[in-house]
């Protein structure tokens, strides 16, 4: 049996630096949405009118808003000449006073299974647009023009944090993959702490939690600029 004791040379060799998180991809969008839809579909007989976490919307409205976000990000990448200074001009309107202004609404009669389908369909639209749009394309976002990877990361963040809101309202468990959280943090929140657990850090970066020695953020934003353009 070979000696398992490392040689002095090997023991003295410096540890390799941790690799940077990889890019956020269309597959990341599909996986985040798939897991979110599983939670929605599994919440049978839940009180979908319960308030979603710290939001002013119900859990049902919050999932509709999430689906609408995914649809809107896909739409921004869709035109032959993506807009540089505005959203694609759909008509957004709330379903009730104080509710989220959406294009996308789910038929309440279809229940949580129908709501999950709406979410999956909108996630698939974004994933398809991210997969097929050239990386050189830029399109408007209120936080600054972004590229397909940026919109993918935005869609993933919306999915992860809004399912957190919904899970709080429904009383169900939701804890996404740390690697996925790490990729979107690196892409959209480059100034976030790098030495803390990734999911609590994403919640902190989006104003939903505290970190040791760091208070909850009152105002926050992400940085969607393409890599190498002053953002992530």
């Amino acid at each position: 049996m070979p000696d398992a004791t490392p040689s002095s040379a090997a023991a003295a060799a410096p540890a390799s630096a941790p690799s940077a998180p990889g890019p956020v991809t269309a597959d990341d969008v599909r996986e985040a949405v798939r897991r979110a839809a599983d939670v929605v579909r599994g919440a049978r007989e839940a009180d979908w009118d319960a308030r979603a976490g710290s939001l002013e919307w119900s859990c049902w409205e919050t999932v509709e808003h999430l689906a609408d976000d995914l649809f809107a990000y896909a739409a921004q990448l869709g035109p032959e000449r993506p807009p540089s200074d505005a959203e694609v001009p759909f008509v957004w309107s709330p379903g009730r006073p104080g509710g989220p202004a959406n294009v996308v609404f789910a038929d309440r009669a279809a229940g949580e299974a129908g709501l999950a389908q709406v979410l999956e369909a909108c996630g698939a639209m974004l994933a398809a647009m991210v997969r097929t749009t050239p990386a050189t394309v830029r399109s408007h976002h209120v936080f600054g023009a972004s590229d397909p990877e940026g919109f993918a990361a935005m869609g993933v963040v919306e999915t992860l944090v809004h399912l957190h809101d919904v899970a709080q309202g429904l009383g169900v468990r939701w804890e996404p993959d740390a690697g996925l959280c790490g990729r979107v943090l690196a892409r959209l929140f480059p100034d976030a702490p790098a030495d803390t657990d990734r999911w609590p850090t994403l919640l902190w970066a989006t104003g939903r939690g505290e970190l040791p020695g760091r208070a909850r953020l009152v105002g926050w934003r992400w940085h969607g600029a393409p890599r190498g353009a002053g953002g992530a």
Side-chain angles (χ1 to χ4, degrees):
M1 177 180 292
D3 186 355
T5 303
S7 68
S8 58
S16 59
S19 58
V24 184
T25 67
D27 287 339
D28 287 331
V29 175
R30 292 302 298 264
E31 180 63 12
V33 172
R34 182 189 68 78
R35 293 186 181 186
D38 285 346
V39 171
V40 172
R41 193 176 285 110
R44 298 180 181 87
E45 300 181 7
D47 181 7
W48 283 99
D49 291 318
R51 179 172 162 177
S54 61
L55 304 181
E56 297 297 329
W57 305 330
S58 72
C59 292
W60 184 278
E61 289 173 329
T62 301
V63 177
E64 286 183 325
H65 165 76
L66 167 57
D68 192 80
D69 280 338
L70 300 172
F71 167 83
Y73 294 156
Q76 286 303 110
L77 296 172
E80 187 69 24
R81 296 181 180 178
S84 61
D85 59 355
E87 286 79 22
V88 176
F90 294 98
V91 175
W92 277 273
S93 59
R96 64 166 180 86
N102 295 349
V103 172
V104 174
F105 294 91
D107 182 357
R108 193 66 184 256
E112 68 279 344
L115 183 61
Q117 281 189 331
V118 169
L119 177 59
E120 288 173 328
C122 292
M125 292 178 199
L126 176 57
M129 292 307 304
V130 169
R131 201 182 304 278
T132 59
T133 302
T136 54
V137 167
R138 304 289 182 265
S139 189
H140 170 81
H141 184 273
V142 66
F143 289 162
S146 195
D147 59 350
E149 189 206 1
F151 281 104
M154 295 176 208
V156 171
V157 169
E158 298 278 10
T159 302
L160 301 188
V161 302
H162 280 317
L163 254 291
H164 168 76
D165 301 330
V166 170
Q168 285 189 313
L170 298 182
V172 299
R173 187 172 183 274
W174 171 251
E175 184 170 353
D177 176 71
L180 181 55
C181 294
R183 290 194 290 282
V184 296
L185 279 166
R187 180 61 179 80
L188 296 180
F189 301 96
D191 297 328
D195 58 351
T196 49
D197 290 343
R198 299 294 78 193
W199 175 224
T201 303
L202 183 58
L203 291 176
W204 173 82
T206 55
R208 288 169 168 81
E210 298 179 2
L211 289 175
R214 296 173 184 265
R216 183 187 295 263
L217 295 178
V218 176
W220 62 273
R221 57 158 290 172
W222 58 53
H223 301 274
R227 294 178 189 267

